[in-house]
Amino acid sequence: MNVHLPGIGCGLAGGTWDHVEPLLTTHLAAPGITTTVHDVPVLRSALPAI
């Protein structure tokens, strides 16, 4: 099985990769699921207005 996903929870959601990566490692990669995390460019329209 292969899982491809963006860096979930890191960005507009306010999380940090230091907290998310261990969860993915424990629950996906360690059991043998090939896991690929893709960097998704942030669109200016998705940013809150200042």
Side-chain angles (χ1 to χ4, degrees):
M1 176 185 284
N2 296 313
V3 174
H4 292 260
L5 64 155
I8 56 175
C10 303
L12 294 178
T16 64
W17 190 244
D18 292 339
H19 289 102
V20 174
E21 183 180 25
L23 295 171
L24 296 177
T25 300
T26 299
H27 297 287
L28 293 176
I33 299 171
T34 302
T35 306
T36 304
V37 178
H38 298 277
D39 288 330
V40 178
V42 176
L43 301 175
R44 289 197 175 274
S45 61
L47 298 175
I50 297 176

